[in-house]
Amino acid sequence: MAVRANPTLRQRRLGSELRRLREQAGLGGSQLANRLGISPGQMTQMETAKIGVSPERLRMVASACNCVNQPLIDALADMASDRRKGWWEEYRGSLTTDFLEVAELEGHATRLAICTTTYMPGLLQTDAYASAVFARVFPPLPVEDVEVRTSFRIRRQEIVRSGKTSMQAFIHEAALRMQFGGPKVLADQLGALLEDSERPGISVRVVPFAVDTFPGAGENLTFAEGLVPELDTIQMDVSQGALFFDSPADLAKHRAIFSRLDSTALSEDGSRDFIRSIVKEVKATYA
């Protein structure tokens, strides 16, 4: 079997879940390899996603680890059997890996919850707004790089705009007021956000400055739900790119964060009214 040079995010997740099954069973790599009749090196390569694992072998691993969580086993088997390449692979070589991995995460999620504090959620940005976001990067990007990143971001939006994947977006007032590209671009973006908030499967909730405590402040987060809760993933935007977390402790922490957001954010109707009031303010600056 060929050794992978650069395993994808999803392949690495499958490998880490194999390791988690083994560790929960209290087995060393050599012990599990012996039970499966393979070499310790092969076991390591499976857990590091350097080689693939068939659904049949995955079920053998689960059995050897005495795992009785059938929904998890079935979900992992589905991951192992899915060898399709996503549309984002077309951009490999044109964009850095973190761009592709964010799209890969979104493409396989069953539901998305997003929290943004500095800019509109990427899945709801207009073309002009997205271009302005990328144009503000320092040192400046070449024009062609801005165009590629923008087109990639717009293409990512198909999963929510088509209704394939539902999304709940919690947007802080700071993000609603932050200008990228000037007031006209912002006003158009806010108008598009209002339209998106009426689409089936898209929920937009605003967290005003007036909210006393704001969990997760300063972080742009995506909580991507998997086929089962154990396969949920958190993605965090940082200046260097994207970070991904999937430990049980991290998942529990961020479930609590989004639960608190749900209880503190404005309702969907209240959020639309709030956004409309900001649109009026912004338009007044250039009318």
Side-chain angles (χ1 to χ4, degrees), residues 72-135:
L72 173 60
I73 296 171
D74 291 340
L76 291 174
D78 284 344
M79 289 177 66
S81 64
D82 186 2
R83 305 297 173 90
R84 295 169 298 175
K85 287 189 175 182
W87 62 265
W88 46 87
E89 291 295 336
E90 300 171 18
Y91 289 80
R92 192 169 294 279
S94 301
L95 293 171
T96 56
T97 302
D98 53 320
F99 280 89
L100 310 185
E101 292 185 339
V102 168
E104 183 182 12
L105 178 68
E106 295 167 345
H108 291 288
T110 59
R111 182 177 178 273
L112 297 166
I114 294 173
C115 166
T116 61
T117 59
T118 53
Y119 44 75
M120 304 294 175
L123 294 176
L124 301 178
Q125 291 179 7
T126 64
D127 194 307
Y129 185 95
S131 293
V133 169
F134 291 126

Side-chain angles (χ1 to χ4, degrees), residues 108-165:
H108 291 288
T110 59
R111 182 177 178 273
L112 297 166
I114 294 173
C115 166
T116 61
T117 59
T118 53
Y119 44 75
M120 304 294 175
L123 294 176
L124 301 178
Q125 291 179 7
T126 64
D127 194 307
Y129 185 95
S131 293
V133 169
F134 291 126
R136 69 67 164 104
V137 172
F138 189 84
L141 293 168
V143 173
E144 56 271 23
D145 286 359
V146 171
E147 292 174 349
V148 170
R149 294 184 182 203
T150 300
S151 67
F152 185 81
R153 177 159 293 179
I154 299 305
R155 190 166 177 185
R156 278 173 47 206
Q157 299 173 357
E158 292 177 11
I159 61 167
V160 293
R161 294 232 166 93
S162 67
K164 176 182 179 292
T165 305

Side-chain angles (χ1 to χ4, degrees), residues 9 24 28 64 110 132 137 146 153 193 199 216 222 236 259-260 265:
L9 177 71
Q24 289 174 345
T110 59
V137 172
V146 171
R153 177 159 293 179
L193 184 64
R199 292 176 183 267
T222 296
M236 181 187 299
S259 177
R260 287 179 59 193

Side-chain angles (χ1 to χ4, degrees), residues 183-184 187 279-287:
K184 178 65 167 59
V279 172
K280 290 181 180 178
E281 292 179 32
V282 174
K283 285 186 174 181
T285 65
Y286 66 88

Side-chain angles (χ1 to χ4, degrees), residues 124 160-163 192-203 272:
L124 301 178
V160 293
R161 294 232 166 93
S162 67
L193 184 64
L194 286 169
E195 293 179 7
D196 282 332
S197 73
E198 300 280 4
R199 292 176 183 267
I202 297 180
S203 171
R272 279 188 280 268

